[in-house]
Amino acid sequence: MEGLRRRSGGALRSVAAGLLAALLALSGAAAQELSGLARLMPDGSSIGARGWSGVSVELQLSQPVPWRVRVMDGPPRLVMDFREVEFGPVEDLARDTDRVTAVRAGSFRLGWSRLVLELARPMVVESADMRTSDGARIAIRLRKADEAEFAARAAAPEPPGWALPKAADLPRPVQGAGPLTVVLDPGHGGIDPGAERGGVSEASLMLTLSRELKEALVRDGTFRVAVTRAEDVFVPLEDRITLAREAGGQVFVSLHADAIAEGEAVGATLYTLAEEASDAAAAALAERHDRDDLLAGIDLTGHDDLVAGVLMDLARTETGPRNERLALALEAAIKRRQIAMHRHPRQAAGFSVLKSPDMPSILVETGFMSSDADLARLRDPGWRARMVIALVEGLKVWAREDAALKDMLRR
Ligand SMILES: [Zn+2]
């Protein structure tokens, strides 16, 4: 225990050093005229092996911005946050090294950008600095670390004032006048584009669909509507549930259009929560969504266990049957509008985003971006309009049934 405490003391000092680097960068930024968004210049940037076991990160930015760097565990990652940087493609930055297994960048919160390097083994930051003469040049040196040192660094708290704002703290307007509050959850966003095909991302397609569905629900008059994201920003899965609850949500609809690597799947699928996935594909899909959160730099340690215990029981007995009726009502409405569904239209898996114990929740896989036909449909405003009508109708049927059943139970 003593040893551990000493080590975390060391970690705190190194965080303080990191904070200093960030503050220097801040004063550098203040000293210069800020013009537009900082950009990453791919020509002057590279990520490569250093010495026998280290990694060197060189980033050339068009202008200085406040930034900070830290490591996170599970898997080991280097996470860099910047006051808005336009990154462009970053996959090719890590050249000629197997010490960095994945690079991902994008918007994390409004006003914040994140760059994440997945590391093949535990490493810690040996030095990090930004020189601000010609634009801004960031140099980070990583060195190999043993498990204990890495764990202590990864567990270091955020320096005061540098913690990112929680997505849940951002204001979420609820629109509409109906009695029932629907929370729409367009999947992915920001640093996590979701499935990508033909220059389109799942994140952007679902944002469009969510906007269209929101308008239709508000217009209908039966619903108030809140959304977990209204822009291309990253919202962690756990925050999506928090946001839904804070908006007073009574039903949660998550919108997705994933891709599969093998086989030919087409059509819409409705997913409800279950501990046991209905098949291997459903399990893989749920796992991939949690993995997207990890790659974006979210700390999932422990949170899932918490939800999994008591809450899962509650979800099963109370909300489970309501989820089932929601899925049935949506399935009937989608079929009535003659929209193609998957050959197993209703499935179940352990999606984190569906784990509200007291709010009926459903995940709509609107189609498969891996299918040419589905992708064309998803991009077609006419098809989306039919899907929107079907979802509105299905939600209304479910809401009526749900209210009637509640009345019966009360008598
Ligand atoms: Zn998805």
Side-chain angles (χ1 to χ4, degrees):
M1 195 59 212
E2 270 311 298
L4 195 68
R5 203 168 296 150
R6 259 200 304 280
R7 266 195 293 277
S8 59
L12 280 175
R13 267 196 301 282
S14 73
V15 167
L19 181 61
L20 188 65
L23 289 175
L24 285 174
L26 190 65
S27 61
Q32 283 185 297
E33 266 312 295
L34 292 182
S35 54
L37 215 55
R39 274 173 299 111
L40 178 77
M41 326 285 275
D43 282 348
S45 305
S46 67
I47 298 164
R50 174 177 159 262
W52 289 107
S53 54
V55 163
S56 134
V57 181
E58 305 274 344
L59 302 173
Q60 178 69 44
L61 303 180
S62 58
Q63 65 187 48
V65 290
W67 71 295
R68 60 84 183 263
V69 59
R70 64 167 301 160
V71 289
M72 292 178 91
D73 202 356
R77 287 156 294 161
L78 181 78
V79 177
M80 284 162 272
D81 290 316
F82 305 86
R83 269 287 188 200
E84 260 183 304
V85 169
E86 211 178 293
F87 283 104
V90 293
E91 297 78 21
D92 294 338
L93 283 181
R95 284 181 285 256
D96 313 322
T97 178
D98 50 7
R99 296 173 195 172
V100 174
T101 48
V103 183
R104 192 179 267 207
S107 150
F108 185 68
R109 295 268 194 276
L110 282 180
W112 285 95
S113 307
R114 176 165 276 198
L115 179 68
V116 183
L117 273 53
E118 206 178 306
L119 307 171
R121 65 158 84 132
M123 280 182 237
V124 292
V125 177
E126 187 175 87
S127 67
D129 71 291
M130 177 190 264
R131 267 175 295 139
T132 58
S133 49
D134 183 20
R137 184 149 193 87
I138 291 177
I140 299 169
R141 307 270 177 266
L142 302 179
R143 65 166 169 78
K144 193 173 98 178
D146 61 27
E147 295 285 349
E149 184 188 13
F150 179 77
R153 293 276 192 112
E158 304 287 12
W162 278 88
L164 291 170
K166 271 193 173 295
D169 292 341
L170 304 171
R172 300 285 143 157
V174 180
Q175 282 178 290
L180 199 73
T181 303
V182 182
V183 178
L184 300 181
D185 174 48
H188 312 275
I191 190 172
D192 165 23
E196 288 176 293
R197 183 124 186 275
V200 212
S201 72
E202 179 186 359
S204 69
L205 276 178
M206 292 305 106
L207 187 58
T208 303
L209 181 65
S210 157
R211 283 178 180 147
E212 292 165 350
L213 179 54
K214 186 183 93 176
E215 263 176 44
L217 286 166
V218 167
R219 229 183 298 122
D220 181 85
T222 315
F223 304 98
R224 273 172 299 160
V225 187
V227 293
T228 56
R229 70 177 179 96
E231 295 173 63
D232 185 24
V233 291
F234 176 78
V235 184
L237 296 175
E238 194 185 8
D239 284 4
R240 292 174 191 251
I241 294 181
T242 311
L243 287 168
R245 181 154 307 153
E246 280 173 5
Q250 285 145 315
V251 53
F252 183 86
V253 182
S254 193
L255 299 169
H256 288 260
D258 285 276
I260 50 161
E262 280 164 39
E264 281 172 45
V266 288
T269 320
L270 301 162
Y271 281 90
T272 47
L273 177 68
E275 263 170 310
E276 288 272 302
S278 43
D279 60 29
L285 189 67
E287 266 164 37
R288 204 157 59 230
H289 281 98
D290 280 358
R291 173 134 185 93
D292 283 337
D293 253 27
L294 277 178
L295 282 181
I298 292 302
D299 184 8
L300 291 181
T301 344
H303 112 256
D304 210 40
D305 295 346
L306 182 80
V307 188
V310 184
L311 297 183
M312 272 298 284
D313 285 348
L314 197 68
R316 232 186 348 254
T317 52
E318 288 278 324
T319 316
R322 297 178 72 201
N323 283 339
E324 280 310 305
R325 284 194 297 274
L326 177 60
L328 279 169
L330 290 178
E331 183 191 359
I334 291 171
K335 285 184 169 162
R336 206 177 311 125
R337 288 287 160 184
Q338 274 154 27
I339 293 169
M341 292 198 81
H342 188 262
R343 59 199 166 87
H344 303 299
R346 279 183 293 116
Q347 298 197 44
F351 285 99
S352 291
V353 83
L354 299 181
K355 285 181 181 168
S356 291
D358 49 358
M359 195 187 323
S361 303
I362 196 152
L363 189 143
V364 186
E365 282 286 345
T366 50
F368 289 88
M369 287 179 70
S370 40
S371 143
D372 288 339
D374 272 7
L375 184 60
R377 285 192 273 264
L378 287 161
R379 300 177 76 165
D380 170 18
W383 182 90
R384 286 201 307 271
R386 271 199 295 147
M387 180 56 110
V388 161
I389 291 171
L391 293 174
V392 173
E393 287 172 348
L395 279 166
K396 286 175 80 168
V397 168
W398 170 79
R400 266 200 305 275
E401 273 179 16
D402 197 56
L405 278 167
K406 216 181 270 170
D407 264 4
M408 257 168 58
L409 287 175
R410 232 180 258 135
R411 274 184 207 137

